[in-house]
Amino acid sequence: MKEKINKYLEEINSFIAETPDQLEAFRIKYLSKKGIVTGLFAEMKDVAPELRREVGLLLNDVKNKAQDKVSSIKDNLAQKETSTDKSTDLTLPANFLNIGSRHPLSIVRNDIIEIFSRLGFTVEVGPEIEDDWHNFTALNFHEEHPARDMQDTFFIEKNPDIVLRTHTSSVQIRVMQNEQPPIRSIFPGRVFRNEAISARAHCIFHQIEGLYIDENVSFADLKQTLYYFATEFFGTDTKIRFRPSYFPFTEPSAEMDISCFICGGSGCKVCKHTGWVEILGCGMVDPNVLENCDIDSEKYTGFAFGMGIERVAMLKYQIDDIRLFFENDARFLKQFTSAT
Ligand code: DAH
């Protein structure tokens, strides 16, 4: 009897089950009503009385070991089942994370900043809520000057002296008030105009302004700087041309066109078959503006320029509706990627 019991004990100790079915078969074999354990207890009556105690202890051991085995294997199998759950199956393809992309306006702004920073331009910013003086008066827009109509301004009803800036040229004034030449900076930012929203116009958009003030700065410096920008941004074959224009704060003033980078100048839809696209306004800073900021206009000269970021981005990516920039439709936004 003892030998038989020891054999069962050995079998119980070495038992392993890989499936719940195997475990159930083991449980029935040892622990069910007609199982081995019950059978062994029934045989107790045939055991010599002096051995009963010892055999009884052994039988209890068999029963306990079998029960422990069943519960520990059961736990193991349950654990295995959760760990082979789909979420941790390492052979399954990974769930791809949706990585965001930069907004096209940020990409274009960063590219422009990067190009001008190579020429030593620093970046400065000014407030979006401006006073009339910084936005207009100091820039040589006189009180009743019709040029104020060029920009449909948002005024604050209670205080018409406060405006939402209509252009980033206001930052020129703030910088010139605070710094003495040489000044070589660009000012990116958001501007506001009371315009009806359409495919071509929006009441909120972005500009980058540039300002370079030093001794002996000439129109040739302006041309060379903007030529460098155009070829870096639009490609080495880009040509530039200047058309005379008018801005109150520059004299002379010009508008700069670049040869159409889509058709190379032969004429297409983007350049409306002219071969040229208008890109920015620029000019030599009017001496009055320098004086308004306490900069000696006898000693210093300078140039300024301003361009619309949406306009440049629309040309670069051939986007034909400005409203797309502000709708934040992920299908639109995820088409733009950039290292910057
Ligand atoms: N502020 C002008 C606008 O919003 C753009 C501009 C033109 C800026 C000529 C300049 C400049 O600095 O010199 O239309």
Side-chain angles (χ1 to χ4, degrees):
M1 176 88 173
K2 268 205 304 194
E3 236 170 71
K4 200 158 70 173
I5 293 172
N6 279 330
K7 219 186 91 224
Y8 285 138
L9 270 175
E10 232 169 75
E11 193 179 290
I12 292 168
N13 281 337
S14 59
F15 176 74
I16 45 175
E18 265 159 21
T19 65
D21 285 351
Q22 287 170 356
L23 179 64
E24 182 59 6
F26 173 85
R27 192 192 65 77
I28 291 170
K29 181 174 169 190
Y30 280 94
L31 299 167
S32 65
K33 268 192 191 148
K34 289 182 183 160
I36 288 168
V37 171
T38 319
L40 287 171
F41 275 108
E43 283 176 40
M44 277 288 275
K45 62 180 186 328
D46 304 327
V47 174
E50 66 275 19
L51 291 177
R52 275 203 191 138
R53 200 184 122 73
E54 195 189 346
V55 174
L57 286 173
L58 271 176
L59 277 186
N60 276 336
D61 201 25
V62 172
K63 189 179 163 194
N64 290 339
K65 289 244 162 70
Q67 278 170 344
D68 288 352
K69 195 80 182 187
V70 169
S71 65
S72 83
I73 292 181
K74 208 175 186 172
D75 287 352
N76 268 348
L77 288 176
Q79 234 176 45
K80 228 173 163 182
E81 197 170 340
T82 46
S83 68
T84 52
D85 176 5
K86 262 197 348 215
S87 62
T88 47
D89 182 348
L90 299 179
T91 64
L92 283 176
N95 286 334
F96 288 102
L97 289 176
N98 260 336
I99 299 173
S101 55
R102 270 193 209 286
H103 194 284
L105 294 179
S106 303
I107 296 174
V108 168
R109 183 200 53 206
N110 292 350
D111 286 352
I112 297 172
I113 290 174
E114 208 267 318
I115 292 169
F116 280 103
S117 69
R118 277 184 244 149
L119 296 174
F121 282 77
T122 57
V123 177
E124 305 207 34
V125 289
E128 293 177 350
I129 300 172
E130 261 302 1
D131 51 55
D132 181 276
W133 192 78
H134 286 91
N135 196 79
F136 291 123
T137 309
L139 285 162
N140 220 20
F141 288 78
H142 293 297
E143 224 22 70
E144 299 299 324
H145 200 295
R148 287 191 186 216
D149 291 344
M150 278 164 61
Q151 310 188 343
D152 300 300
T153 311
F154 282 116
F155 291 95
I156 305 294
E157 222 169 28
K158 289 221 166 66
N159 183 357
D161 191 42
I162 306 293
V163 301
L164 294 181
R165 69 177 175 198
T166 57
H167 52 183
T168 43
S169 303
S170 55
V171 190
Q172 283 186 30
I173 302 300
R174 291 192 172 268
V175 169
M176 285 192 280
Q177 279 182 306
N178 292 326
E179 294 170 31
Q180 276 300 307
I183 296 169
R184 194 165 16 165
S185 294
I186 52 174
F187 323 123
R190 199 156 56 148
V191 301
F192 308 84
R193 291 190 194 177
N194 188 8
E195 298 230 23
I197 297 171
S198 70
R200 307 214 56 81
H202 210 286
C203 56
I204 301 175
F205 56 102
H206 299 79
Q207 290 185 331
I208 287 196
E209 189 84 8
L211 180 69
Y212 186 12
I213 313 278
D214 203 348
E215 290 177 41
N216 301 317
V217 176
S218 71
F219 204 92
D221 298 314
L222 161 67
K223 276 177 133 175
Q224 186 56 46
T225 304
L226 294 179
Y227 178 67
Y228 176 77
F229 162 70
T231 50
E232 287 294 299
F233 191 86
F234 292 104
T236 43
D237 294 336
T238 310
K239 295 185 194 64
I240 57 170
R241 77 174 183 190
F242 291 84
R243 284 177 289 104
S245 186
Y246 172 76
F247 300 101
F249 39 92
T250 44
E251 182 59 37
S253 302
E255 275 168 84
M256 187 179 94
D257 298 337
I258 58 164
S259 56
C260 181
F261 55 93
I262 304 295
C263 63
S266 59
C268 69
K269 218 178 103 195
V270 171
C271 63
K272 299 198 191 79
H273 303 281
T274 62
W276 296 92
V277 281
E278 185 194 318
I279 213 82
L280 53 80
C282 59
M284 300 305 292
V285 178
D286 192 300
N288 285 341
V289 175
L290 294 175
E291 294 298 334
N292 286 339
C293 304
D294 291 327
I295 290 179
D296 183 353
S297 62
E298 298 289 328
K299 188 171 174 200
Y300 295 109
T301 52
F303 64 77
F305 58 88
M307 66 183 125
I309 300 180
E310 280 80 359
R311 176 162 177 77
V312 172
M314 285 170 84
L315 287 169
K316 179 161 184 168
Y317 296 116
Q318 292 181 58
I319 296 165
D320 57 10
D321 192 328
I322 197 172
R323 292 169 291 199
L324 287 166
F325 291 120
F326 306 103
E327 281 163 5
N328 286 332
D329 185 328
R331 291 167 301 176
F332 171 72
L333 295 176
K334 73 179 178 197
Q335 297 177 53
F336 303 92
T337 49
S338 161
T340 47

